[in-house]
Amino acid sequence: MMGEMGTTMAITITESAARHIASNLSKRGKGVGLRLGVRTSGCSGLAYKLEYADEIRPEDSRFDSHGVTVVIDPKSLPYLKGMELDFAREGLNEGFKFNNPNVKDACGCGESFNV
């Protein structure tokens, strides 16, 4: 894939997700990319967390694709390795989709998962 840094690409960003991230960063007026991580939560143990990143910390892993940057902290990376971040519209709903090969089980509401 073009534009990706490093020898192993842990995170794939679809063109649709990249467009959404770039658009929101532009509206926001600042930021270097999207920070993606996991936190302890929900009935299955882990939940995704997304926020806009204003800086890339020395310990972060950085992934560039379709002109946008996603940064991930070292504690979250093992849970996200190999994941594809997509953005989809389904009827009236729209949002990020996490296609994560590490997930062994997810709760019924789709808010949390375990590996």
Side-chain angles (χ1 to χ4, degrees):
M1 298 186 181
M2 288 181 24
E4 294 155 353
M5 297 177 62
T7 51
T8 16
M9 182 60 180
I11 303 298
T12 304
I13 309 159
T14 66
E15 199 171 334
S16 174
R19 274 195 311 268
H20 186 74
I21 293 165
S23 170
N24 280 317
L25 282 172
S26 176
K27 286 179 198 166
R28 190 171 178 255
K30 66 177 183 171
V32 295
L34 184 73
R35 180 171 297 281
L36 176 60
V38 295
R39 61 184 165 81
T40 304
S41 175
C43 28
S44 291
L46 296 170
Y48 298 108
K49 63 178 181 178
L50 289 169
E51 60 190 15
Y52 289 98
D54 291 327
E55 65 177 358
I56 298 173
R57 299 177 193 130
E59 69 274 12
D60 287 337
S61 293
R62 172 186 176 153
F63 305 96
D64 294 294
S65 187
H66 301 291
V68 298
T69 299
V70 171
V71 292
I72 300 173
D73 67 88
K75 289 181 182 171
S76 296
L77 190 59
Y79 301 106
L80 302 174
K81 208 168 191 80
M83 188 182 83
E84 178 190 67
L85 180 63
D86 192 11
F87 186 83
R89 285 186 176 88
E90 294 171 2
L92 297 174
N93 298 318
E94 66 177 23
F96 284 107
K97 301 284 181 197
F98 305 93
N99 301 317
N100 189 342
N102 304 299
V103 171
K104 293 197 175 31
D105 191 28
C107 68
C109 62
E111 291 294 318
S112 62
F113 64 96
N114 68 40
V115 293

